[in-house]
């Protein structure tokens, strides 16, 4: 833990604790030295007593003293030992180097006897350590336990013994150490009491100091947090103090006053800006504000991103205005505007462009399919009935769309192009029209293609091809993707990129999806009548069709007509459908899966951060877009992306399909990173029905890679 992570209160307590520990450590060391000094003083006492006795005995016992006989010398020695007493019966004793006790004033019964085996209360030898020390050094200090008097409890005794020079006699004396222990214990108790008192006093003082700092600091922190959260009238306390906390409080008071003044100015500015920016009736952006915002968005539009301008006309509003007046017209317009808002993202813009036209701006558009889904959602909301004068009115709308930077990179040009597309959609009675359709096709050509698609649906000019999906764990074909093809009787083969996109833009895509569903069901029935165990077929479905309220009916019409099990169909949805409302998607996917139909997400990773959404949806498969597979052998970045998608998807119990596998090396890498399923030209191109059956009969055609 870092020091800055500890509160001031605890910092003070820690500081006091460290000081007290330091004092305690120093005091313990001092007590130890005091105890040692007491021992040394006792050593000096008994050494001086022994030295004094020796100084008296040395001339008497000297070999040069011929005036006294040996008996007289011994008598003098004993008499001196009996008379030389000090400090409460402390005495001297005399033994010879052989351990024979010469004189002991207290234990007279051992005089003249061998005392080398004498032991103390603890069973330790008393005389032997003295003899050994004197023999080595001529003098020695020893300790043992000995009673002060007969019958008393033995206590520790410090002894000193020294050899009388020129003789074999040893003079010793001892002193009891219990008085030292009493003195030491008394000092120890005094220290504990003083340390306890000092600790309590320091604790109380530090607590008081800490409280005087932390309490106002805590109040200031709370007041700052409330100020920053918008409570600018919060009362500031402690500004009357004269310390640093008071200075902070005074600065905070000044900050609050400036904040109040700034907030007043800000509110006045916001009010003025609001009046200039928003329509007073609907509170949507005004036309001028829309132009300004669009100009700003275009200036910061990232490379590779698009911006959509969607102009929505409500023709019935003019009739309401003429029949019921402005107030009723405004009520309806507000109701419709609020419903449109529910379909928009947080960063979308909604404006009242004119009396009966509403404009939506979607910035940073990644995929044009996203617009198709959005327009379908908007028009569905608009068609919900509104009540006026007791009558329920349902509105139709026409929509024109322009895309930046494809159609223009200036705001006025984009708005103008959206209006042109709107006018053309009204003339052709289409739900919506893109401006690029005006540029891509001449009017006659658009009308011809529009009629030809409808005729092709009615006359079954379309046909299906099937591209197998291979399980990389079993090397077996487990399903096939259904792909739509069109051989025009006069114009020949027409690319799906042309007629499918036009069908999505012209409102024909649901009819086209319905044809594909029925054609796939018809094919499954034919195979079953032939007795074949056919794989599951994956049908590409547009987001517009998938989000229709009658989707279940469309599916049942196809499967019931040909009496095929629902489990034999899988729906492939483009990743763009994931931008729809999460709640709507969850309900729609749950409904479809309860029918027994599995769902996969196609072109995964091309435009939307959808794994975060997939974890909330019961998706069965994701198909990694072929753009990540094409350079898998050379791009470490693509490999890491693919590996991450596989790891995360499988963690969500979702199968992963790699699209566009064209080389053996790509397949080898996919197997090494545990991809579940592969699809691509390396394994099989899209096949007609009979060729697919041949491949199913000859599964060993599946390529193996070590």
């Amino acid at each position: 833990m870092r020091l800055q992570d500890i509160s001031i209160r605890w910092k003070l307590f820690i500081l006091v604790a460290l000081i007290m520990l330091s004092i305690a450590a120093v005091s313990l060391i001092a007590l130890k030295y005091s105890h040692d000094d007491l021992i040394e003083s006792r050593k000096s006492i008994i050494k001086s007593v022994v030295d004094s006795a020796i100084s008296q005995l040395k001339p008497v016992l000297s070999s040069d003293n011929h005036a006294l006989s040996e008996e007289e010398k011994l008598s003098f020695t004993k008499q001196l030992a009996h008379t030389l007493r000090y400090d409460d019966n402390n005495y001297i004793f005399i033994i010879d180097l052989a351990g024979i006790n010469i004189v002991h004033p207290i234990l007279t019964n051992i005089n003249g006897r061998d005392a080398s085996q004498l032991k103390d209360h603890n069973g330790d030898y008393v005389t032997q350590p003295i003899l050994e020390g004197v023999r080595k050094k001529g003098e020695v200090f020893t300790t043992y336990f000995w009673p002060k008097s007969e019958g008393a409890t033995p206590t520790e005794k410090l002894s000193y013994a020294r050899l009388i020079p020129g003789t074999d006699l040893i003079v010793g004396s001892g002193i009891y150490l219990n008085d030292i222990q009493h003195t030491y214990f008394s000092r120890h108790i005094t220290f504990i009491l003083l340390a306890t008192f000092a600790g309590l006093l320091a604790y109380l003082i530090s607590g008081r100091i800490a409280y005087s700092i932390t309490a106002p600091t805590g109040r200031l922190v709370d007041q700052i947090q409330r100020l920053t959260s918008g409570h600018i009238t919060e009362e500031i306390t402690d500004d009357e103090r004269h310390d640093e906390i008071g200075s902070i409080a005074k600065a905070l008071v000044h900050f609050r006053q400036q904040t109040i003044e700034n907030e007043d100015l800000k509110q006045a500015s916001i009010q003025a800006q609001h009046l200039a920016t928003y329509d007073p009736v609907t509170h949507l952006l005004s036309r001028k504000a829309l132009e300004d915002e669009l100009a700003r968005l275009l200036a910061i539009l990232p490379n590779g991103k698009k911006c959509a301008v969607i102009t929505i006309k409500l023709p019935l509003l003019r009739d309401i205005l003429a029949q019921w007046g402005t107030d009723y017209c405004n009520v309806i317009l507000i109701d419709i505007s609020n419903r449109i808002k529910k379909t928009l993202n947080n960063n979308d813009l909604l404006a009242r462009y004119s009396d009966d036209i509403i404009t939506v701006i979607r910035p940073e558009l990644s995929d044009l399919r996203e617009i198709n889904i959005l327009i379908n959602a908007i028009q569905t909301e608009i068609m919900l009935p509104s009540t006026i004068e007791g009558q329920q009115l349902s509105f139709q709308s026409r929509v024109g769309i322009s895309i930046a930077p494809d159609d223009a990179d200036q705001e006025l040009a984009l708005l103008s192009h959206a209006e042109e597309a709107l006018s053309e959609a009204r003339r052709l009675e289409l739900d919506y029209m893109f401006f690029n359709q005006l540029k891509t096709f001449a009017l006659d050509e658009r009308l011809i293609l529009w009629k030809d698609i409808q005729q092709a649906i009615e006359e079954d000019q379309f046909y299906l091809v099937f591209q197998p999906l291979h399980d990389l764990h079993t090397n077996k074909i487990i399903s096939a993707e259904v792909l739509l093809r069109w051989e025009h009787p006069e114009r020949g083969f027409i690319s799906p990129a042309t007629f499918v996109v036009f069908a999505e833009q012209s409102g024909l895509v649901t009819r086209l999806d319905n044809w594909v569903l029925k054609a796939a069901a018809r094919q499954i029935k034919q195979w079953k009548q032939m007795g074949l165990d056919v794989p599951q077929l994956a049908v590409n479905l547009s987001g517009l069709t998938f989000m229709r309220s009658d989707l279940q009916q469309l599916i049942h019409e196809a499967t019931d007509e040909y009496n095929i099990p629902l489990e034999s169909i899988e729906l492939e949805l483009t990743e763009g459908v994931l931008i729809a409302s999460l709640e709507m998607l969850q309900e729609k996917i749950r409904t479809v899966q309860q029918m027994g139909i599995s769902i996969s997400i196609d072109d995964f990773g091309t435009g939307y951060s959808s794994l975060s959404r997939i974890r909330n949806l019961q998706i069965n498969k994701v198909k990694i877009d072929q753009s990540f597979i094409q350079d898998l052998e050379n791009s470490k970045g693509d490999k890491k992306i693919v590996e991450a998608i596989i790891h995360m998807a499988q963690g969500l119990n979702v199968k992963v399909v790699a699209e566009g596998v064209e080389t053996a090396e790509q397949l080898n890498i996919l197997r090494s990173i545990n991809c579940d399923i592969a699809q691509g030209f390396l394994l099989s191109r899209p096949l007609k029905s009979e060729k697919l059956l041949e491949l199913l009969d000859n599964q060993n055609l599946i390529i193996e890679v070590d």
Side-chain angles (χ1 to χ4, degrees), residues 515-585:
W515 187 94
V516 174
L517 273 172
K518 289 186 176 181
R522 183 169 61 243
Q523 182 64 75
I524 292 173
K525 180 179 180 180
Q526 291 175 1
W527 285 337
K528 286 187 175 295
Q529 288 175 339
M530 297 168 61
L532 301 175
D533 185 14
V534 298
Q536 186 183 55
L537 293 186
V539 177
N540 288 281
L541 208 62
S542 70
L544 292 173
T545 303
F546 183 74
M547 298 305 294
R548 285 176 63 100
S549 59
D550 61 350
L551 175 64
Q552 288 175 274
Q553 181 181 344
L554 293 177
I555 295 173
H556 277 299
E557 285 178 358
T559 56
D560 292 350
E561 181 178 351
Y562 296 102
N563 192 28
I564 66 166
L566 289 164
E567 293 80 3
S568 59
I569 296 290
E570 179 180 74
L571 297 184
E572 278 196 12
L573 308 175
T574 57
E575 191 183 9
V577 78
L578 297 178
I579 67 171
S581 164
L582 182 61
E583 292 76 13
M584 292 175 60
L585 269 176

Side-chain angles (χ1 to χ4, degrees), residues 453-502:
I453 291 176
Q454 295 184 76
Q455 185 176 355
I457 292 173
E458 295 169 359
E459 297 178 358
D460 280 344
Q461 294 178 11
F462 297 107
Y463 63 93
L464 302 181
V465 293
F466 309 90
Q467 186 170 28
L469 278 71
H470 301 266
D471 189 317
L472 294 184
H473 303 296
T474 64
N475 288 339
K476 298 296 182 182
I477 296 175
I478 57 171
S479 62
E481 180 181 0
V482 175
L483 300 172
L484 184 61
R485 297 293 184 261
W486 185 15
E487 190 75 30
H488 192 279
E490 297 176 359
R491 301 165 62 186
F493 181 79
I494 298 179
S495 169
T498 299
F499 70 83
V500 172
V501 172
F502 182 82

Side-chain angles (χ1 to χ4, degrees), residues 257-280:
Q257 292 171 344
Q258 286 189 328
T259 301
I260 292 173
E261 293 174 1
N262 291 340
E263 188 64 24
D264 291 341
L265 291 173
K266 179 182 177 182
Q267 291 301 323
S269 175
I270 289 174
Q271 187 174 4
Q273 182 68 26
H274 187 274
L275 293 174
T277 304
Y278 294 96
D279 174 64

Side-chain angles (χ1 to χ4, degrees), residues 223-229 231-232 236 248-263:
Q223 291 158 10
I224 291 171
Q225 289 176 340
R226 289 181 61 80
L227 279 175
T228 54
S229 63
H231 298 83
I232 60 175
I236 307 302
I248 296 173
K250 291 181 180 69
L252 193 57
V253 169
H254 182 65
F255 171 76
R256 183 193 63 180
Q257 292 171 344
Q258 286 189 328
T259 301
I260 292 173
E261 293 174 1
N262 291 340
E263 188 64 24

Side-chain angles (χ1 to χ4, degrees), residues 18 200 400 550 576 619 621:
L18 290 174
L200 289 173
D550 61 350
I619 301 298
K621 295 190 188 82

Side-chain angles (χ1 to χ4, degrees), residues 42 45 49 85-91 148 174-176:
R42 295 305 186 271
I45 291 172
V49 170
R85 308 288 289 273
Y86 63 96
D87 291 345
D88 295 332
N89 291 328
N90 288 328
Y91 52 87
K148 281 190 175 183
I175 190 167
Y176 291 96

Side-chain angles (χ1 to χ4, degrees), residues 280-282 317 319-335 352 387-389:
V281 174
T282 61
L317 276 182
D319 297 330
I320 293 174
L321 179 63
Q323 184 171 352
W324 282 290
T326 303
D327 291 341
Y328 288 106
C329 185
N330 290 340
V331 170
I332 295 297
L333 185 59
I334 291 171
D335 179 51
R352 185 175 183 180
T387 302
I388 180 171
E389 288 289 317

